[in-house]
Amino acid sequence: MTTSPLMQDQKPGAARREGHPGIALAVIAACQLMVVLDATIVNIALPHIQGALKFSTTDLTWVVSAYTLTFGGLLLLGGRAGDILGRRRVFTTGILLFTAASLLGGFAQEPWQLLAARALQGVGGAIASPTSLALITTTFPEGPERNRAFGVFAAVSAGGGAIGLLAGGMLTEWLDWRWVLFVNVPIGLLIVLVTPLYISESERHPGRFDIAGAMTSTLGMASLVYGFIRAAEEGWRDSPTIASFGAAVVLLVAFALIESRAGEPITPLRMFADRNRSGTYVIMLSLAAAMFGMFFFIVLFVQNVLQYTPIEAGLAFLPITVAIVAGAGLSQRFLPVLGPKPFMVVGSSLVALGLGWLTFIDPGSSYVSGVLGPMLLFGFGMGLNFVTLTLTAVSGVAPHEAGAASGLLNAMQQVGGSLGLSILTTVFGTASREEAEKQVADFMATASAEQKAEFARTHQLPAPWSHEVLSHGISTAFIPAVGMAVLALLIATLVVRVRRSDLEALSGTAGPAAG
């Protein structure tokens, strides 16, 4: 029996068709796009999901949060798994799990079935996403080539949310809400089939899994988010609300203690020793908290107040995708010259201005006057930040810890998004209840007998009173979102520094890293 020269020369785990970095990057980016857009693709379909599966308004929030919480909470474990077991293997496993969960979610007949599938999607995403970013560090050499790859990856990460809204609108209007989940199945299977052809397996590093750290962090954040969502409907004195916050404190303190004592923690505390990297994590947490809320509430506004169809609502978000890509391209080009700080400062400032503009939204606001301008400012600012934050987070990290570093950045994005959405929802709920009391009084004084009879039956205010309630809640919710963006701006201004070694690494002129 003879073996071909090609088979003899090929290393174990090597890609079957090496020398195609463009295709390898396309596979990695496709995975990230699928995982990231799934955080928003269901948003436009939420009214249809609510009607089909009989969700309450409060429980409907969990269709988003069930995904983002398991995704963000287990990202660190996913990154660690790639370091220990091999990134290509873990990457493929995550995609398969994500694909299977999408199929199950599409067939859901009860609310709990959909929530379970969404949580399982988050687990699959948590396994695949950090390994996809880490695969870039092992596939592309440091310098301009890796910068370009990170630019593509960051643009996909940043624009995925807006693309998800557009795709969700088209699928919901043209087919059915279930297709926002079914669409992942053929894409996931194609990625699984192509991955071994163009992506090589990474070196495996011995280590242990920090299961206790992963569980306490995920459950702690879930308790914290549930507390905010519960408070939005039941108030701050509600016993389950207080118990949820208490459980969150206990679990998150336990997580901190576990990480400080573990031999191989899921969150190596030395990752925070570098002030630029620490600042990057806080900036990502803050901006993601504002971003998820912005998408969620603007979707409500354009569909319920402006009366856009699902596909019109999706198209309304197309300009933000263009702005994000433009910002990402600009930062990628000039990062080697200027370093990360200017882009973080300017980007965070634009995000804060865009969110501040949205606090003036009201029922009389049109798409052009009240939505488009703020979205363009917000999108361009986020584009400037995403490439910058991604590169800074993994800069100077040892190869065997690339998965942990990238996983922590992604975790900040997803956990920040879940936490931010829950906080903004709490503010929205409180402001809406107060405004509703005023609008009900006005309605009862001016409405016709037929309108009053319908209100007695449904307990739902008709337009224009309902538009006043929704708009007031949304505009008020954007006030803490501005505070989140201002926090990111302060960190970028006061914490992040420009260092010559960073500029040399970004331009590809630095010498070999020690160790």
Side-chain angles (χ1 to χ4, degrees), residues 209-453:
F209 292 108
D210 181 14
I211 302 297
M215 291 299 101
T216 51
S217 63
T218 303
L219 294 175
M221 288 306 305
S223 297
L224 186 61
V225 168
Y226 177 77
F228 280 113
I229 294 174
R230 176 90 184 182
E233 185 168 298
E234 303 296 336
W236 293 97
R237 296 182 180 180
D238 175 64
S239 296
T241 299
I242 296 172
S244 181
F245 283 125
V249 171
V250 171
L251 287 165
L252 293 176
V253 168
F255 167 70
L257 292 174
I258 290 169
E259 298 309 280
S260 66
R261 299 175 181 178
E264 297 182 22
I266 193 173
T267 309
L269 298 183
R270 57 184 173 275
M271 292 288 179
F272 296 93
D274 183 285
R275 63 184 291 167
N276 279 7
R277 189 173 299 116
S278 297
T280 293
Y281 292 147
V282 177
I283 292 171
M284 177 62 85
L285 182 78
S286 303
L287 293 180
M291 180 177 69
F292 276 60
M294 191 278 291
F295 281 132
F296 186 83
F297 288 114
I298 294 301
V299 165
L300 290 179
F301 182 80
V302 298
Q303 286 194 286
N304 295 335
V305 177
L306 299 184
Q307 298 294 299
Y308 282 17
T309 65
I311 192 169
E312 287 173 340
L315 289 170
F317 282 87
L318 193 58
I320 197 174
T321 306
V322 176
I324 288 172
V325 172
L330 185 67
S331 62
Q332 175 192 332
R333 180 176 180 182
F334 291 104
L335 257 174
V337 179
L338 302 176
K341 183 167 185 170
F343 295 99
M344 293 182 185
V345 171
V346 175
S348 299
S349 299
L350 292 176
V351 169
L353 288 173
L355 292 169
W357 192 343
L358 288 171
T359 62
F360 294 99
I361 206 167
D362 61 42
S365 300
S366 67
Y367 172 72
V368 173
S369 66
V371 177
L372 180 59
M375 283 203 309
L376 291 174
L377 282 177
F378 184 93
F380 191 74
M382 291 300 292
L384 292 177
N385 264 300
F386 266 107
V387 175
T388 309
L389 295 173
T390 302
L391 282 168
T392 305
V394 298
S395 177
V397 175
H400 69 279
E401 290 188 334
S406 58
L408 187 55
L409 180 69
N410 277 317
M412 290 294 175
Q413 180 178 344
Q414 299 302 321
V415 171
S418 300
L419 183 59
L421 179 58
S422 66
I423 292 172
L424 300 187
T425 299
T426 303
V427 175
F428 168 83
T430 302
S432 296
R433 283 198 304 272
E434 294 174 353
E435 184 65 19
E437 294 176 0
K438 300 176 184 177
Q439 294 301 322
V440 167
D442 183 70
F443 170 79
M444 298 303 294
T446 59
S448 66
E450 184 179 352
Q451 287 177 317
K452 291 179 181 178

Side-chain angles (χ1 to χ4, degrees), residues 140-162:
F140 298 90
E142 191 168 27
E145 189 175 356
R146 184 182 294 181
N147 293 352
R148 286 191 292 270
F150 274 134
V152 172
F153 187 91
V156 166
S157 299

Side-chain angles (χ1 to χ4, degrees), residues 167-253:
M170 291 189 294
L171 292 169
T172 301
E173 186 163 337
W174 292 345
L175 297 173
D176 182 77
W177 70 264
R178 296 181 184 277
W179 279 94
V180 302
L181 298 166
F182 286 148
V183 71
N184 294 322
V185 176
I187 298 173
L189 292 176
L190 180 61
I191 292 173
V192 169
L193 291 173
V194 172
T195 294
L197 298 179
Y198 297 100
I199 297 178
S200 298
E201 182 60 277
S202 65
E203 181 182 354
R204 297 171 62 175
H205 302 276
R208 297 179 180 178
F209 292 108
D210 181 14
I211 302 297
M215 291 299 101
T216 51
S217 63
T218 303
L219 294 175
M221 288 306 305
S223 297
L224 186 61
V225 168
Y226 177 77
F228 280 113
I229 294 174
R230 176 90 184 182
E233 185 168 298
E234 303 296 336
W236 293 97
R237 296 182 180 180
D238 175 64
S239 296
T241 299
I242 296 172
S244 181
F245 283 125
V249 171
V250 171
L251 287 165
L252 293 176
V253 168

